[in-house]
Amino acid sequence: MSWEPVASSDSAAVQTFSLFKQFGDFVAVDHIDLYVKRGSFFGFLGPNGAGKSTTIKMLTGLLAPTSGKLRVLGRDIMEQPMEVKKRIGVVPEDLNLFERLTGAEMLVFTGRMYGLEQSEIIQRSKELLELMELLDEPKKLIVEYSHGMKKKLSLACALIHRPEILFLDEPFEGIDAIASRTLKDLLSRLTARGLTVFLT
């Protein structure tokens, strides 16, 4: 499909070196070393409060580390944030969707933010809405979506610009078994095509 990830010869999708994050006296991330190979499905596991979401926020440029180094797609995201952000997709835990838009309008907005051409946005939006089984009620506002539908739309937004790596923060939390199976099958197909998935 036209939105498959762009291949690259660099074998590392994510690398961290003694990554450390502290808020006041509280240590949220304690000197983590990670190596995630391109094209892999990487599960980042731990109990609540273990620092998973904080780590993802550092890897996606939303938080600066207190100390340590990190590289995403071969680049330091603190030094080249826009270059990295153009090449990654993120589905955050809180989704951050504009709920007074339709699903198609949300995808058009996201595509424009990534600088895609209008014709490309229209084509990819249709493909992704069909893939996520969200085409049945085109005029339905996001505020009326179920939680599972919102998760699938958020994933579609994260994929519209053909990212090389996809960060997913607890994507299966709070969704039913059918939606969960749909997302799992899709992610398996995407990694088979070369997309790197980093999932908490």
Side-chain angles (χ1 to χ4, degrees), residues 29-151:
V29 176
D30 193 5
H31 297 97
I32 290 179
D33 294 311
L34 291 174
Y35 180 92
V36 180
K37 188 176 180 180
R38 284 181 184 265
S40 64
F41 195 122
F42 185 84
F44 189 54
L45 307 178
N48 288 341
K52 302 184 300 296
S53 293
T54 300
T55 300
I56 279 191
K57 287 176 181 176
M58 288 189 284
L59 293 176
T60 56
L62 295 177
L63 281 177
T66 303
S67 64
K69 296 286 185 181
L70 58 89
R71 295 181 69 80
V72 177
L73 300 170
R75 298 175 187 270
D76 186 325
I77 196 168
M78 294 295 105
E79 295 178 359
Q80 298 175 291
M82 295 308 295
E83 181 60 31
V84 174
K85 288 177 182 182
K86 287 189 295 187
R87 299 166 62 193
I88 67 174
V90 184
V91 179
E93 188 177 9
D94 53 5
L95 300 183
N96 295 325
L97 298 168
F98 295 113
E99 296 198 336
R100 290 296 172 183
L101 300 179
T102 65
E105 288 169 343
M106 184 71 213
L107 283 168
V108 168
F109 173 81
T110 305
R112 291 180 69 182
M113 291 302 99
Y114 279 107
L116 302 182
E117 296 291 337
Q118 185 70 14
S119 58
E120 192 175 18
I121 292 171
I122 292 170
Q123 178 186 348
R124 291 186 186 172
S125 295
K126 185 177 178 181
E127 289 176 352
L128 287 164
L129 288 170
E130 183 176 5
L131 189 67
M132 301 296 175
E133 301 172 351
L134 295 173
L135 277 177
D136 290 346
E137 299 179 75
K139 295 184 179 181
K140 191 172 189 176
L141 298 179
I142 297 169
V143 71
E144 300 171 319
Y145 279 20
S146 68
H147 189 63
M149 291 170 70
K150 289 178 181 178
K151 289 267 187 174

Side-chain angles (χ1 to χ4, degrees), residues 136-192:
D136 290 346
E137 299 179 75
K139 295 184 179 181
K140 191 172 189 176
L141 298 179
I142 297 169
V143 71
E144 300 171 319
Y145 279 20
S146 68
H147 189 63
M149 291 170 70
K150 289 178 181 178
K151 289 267 187 174
K152 291 192 285 186
L153 179 61
S154 186
L155 180 57
C157 290
L159 290 171
I160 195 167
H161 61 299
R162 296 194 303 154
E164 296 171 54
I165 180 169
L166 185 62
F167 291 94
L168 305 173
D169 195 356
E170 301 193 25
F172 305 115
E173 184 181 24
I175 64 173
D176 61 62
I178 295 173
S180 178
R181 181 60 183 267
T182 300
L183 291 179
K184 288 176 183 176
D185 289 346
L186 172 61
L187 293 174
S188 294
R189 294 201 303 272
L190 290 172
T191 52

